[in-house]
Amino acid sequence: MRQIIVCTFLTLDGVMQAPGGPDEDVQSGFEHGGWQKPVSDDEVGAAIAGWYEPSDAMLLGRKTYEIFASYWPTADPANPFTHRMNSMHKYVASRTLTSLEWENSTLLEGDVVDAVRNLKESDGGDINVVGSGDFAQTLMRHGLVDEYRLTIHPVIIGTGKRLFADGAIPTALEPVSVTTTKGSTVVGVYRPNGKPTYDSY
């Protein structure tokens, strides 16, 4: 069975909105777009590249798809990640899009949860959920996430969309690997491990 892996950049206070640039996502008046680059380093880039090695597809929500599709097809071909992003298969969840122009892209049809369950049971490598915060939360609510790969950067934003927003399903996590880069970004890989347990001191 294929693994569904949420790959996300987070601030220390859990914000995932618009890491890549000021105009990436200004929904709800977000004014902190582009927060990641000043607090990133080459070790973060190497870790992210490694996340894609066992994967051959991405799951994207509409907004992230549109951001990526406007950038990667014309991105610098000298960047090895350009070929990777363009050649991977993209599965897109959208209620409004009727066609997709970016190569190797497919609209998920019917109920999105059922469609993702069918993908998990198909042949192939891991499937990365990139960005796509609302979509990721839908997958979490239905127990479809097998692993989280997170970069947690040393900056506090205070507002914006969070991966683990209010109403997230309580979940215990098993750390697979946790390291810190020279720029103090925490690179963590975690797997859901049932429900949290509770105790007192």
Side-chain angles (χ1 to χ4, degrees):
M1 181 175 287
R2 303 171 81 175
Q3 302 290 293
I4 303 295
I5 300 170
V6 170
C7 301
T8 303
F9 314 134
L10 300 176
T11 65
L12 190 61
D13 56 333
V15 175
M16 64 179 297
Q17 188 168 351
D23 300 321
E24 185 177 69
D25 181 1
V26 296
Q27 188 173 353
S28 301
F30 189 67
E31 299 178 344
H32 305 288
W35 55 263
Q36 185 195 23
K37 187 173 181 180
V39 290
S40 196
D41 56 58
D42 55 2
E43 292 179 54
V44 171
I48 294 167
W51 291 353
Y52 282 81
E53 287 303 317
S55 303
D56 61 11
M58 289 184 285
L59 275 169
L60 303 172
R62 177 194 57 80
K63 184 170 291 184
T64 300
Y65 171 81
E66 291 180 333
I67 292 168
F68 284 9
S70 69
Y71 176 78
W72 287 110
T74 57
D76 182 0
N79 177 352
F81 220 60
T82 298
H83 174 72
R84 185 71 169 147
M85 295 296 282
N86 288 322
S87 63
M88 288 182 77
H89 205 102
K90 280 75 68 173
Y91 296 99
V92 183
S94 174
R95 298 185 183 93
T96 57
L97 295 176
T98 57
S99 63
L100 304 174
E101 302 300 324
W102 190 13
E103 63 180 302
N104 301 318
S105 296
T106 301
L107 273 173
L108 295 175
E109 297 182 354
D111 181 81
V112 70
V113 173
D114 290 339
V116 173
R117 287 196 178 108
N118 290 335
L119 276 178
K120 282 173 65 74
E121 294 174 0
S122 65
D123 294 330
D126 294 340
I127 305 173
N128 290 352
V129 182
V130 185
S132 309
D134 293 340
F135 186 25
Q137 291 184 36
T138 296
L139 300 178
M140 288 188 280
R141 285 195 299 271
H142 289 86
L144 291 171
V145 175
D146 298 292
E147 191 168 277
Y148 297 93
R149 297 178 183 175
L150 311 175
T151 61
I152 304 168
H153 298 266
V155 61
I156 293 172
I157 296 298
T159 62
K161 300 174 187 175
R162 288 170 166 80
L163 176 62
F164 303 110
D166 289 349
I169 302 300
T171 305
L173 297 174
E174 173 192 357
V176 177
S177 66
V178 181
T179 60
T180 304
T181 72
K182 62 187 178 185
S184 299
T185 291
V186 175
V187 179
V189 179
Y190 308 88
R191 291 183 185 140
N193 189 28
K195 298 292 185 183
T197 57
Y198 305 93
D199 204 346
S200 59
Y201 289 98

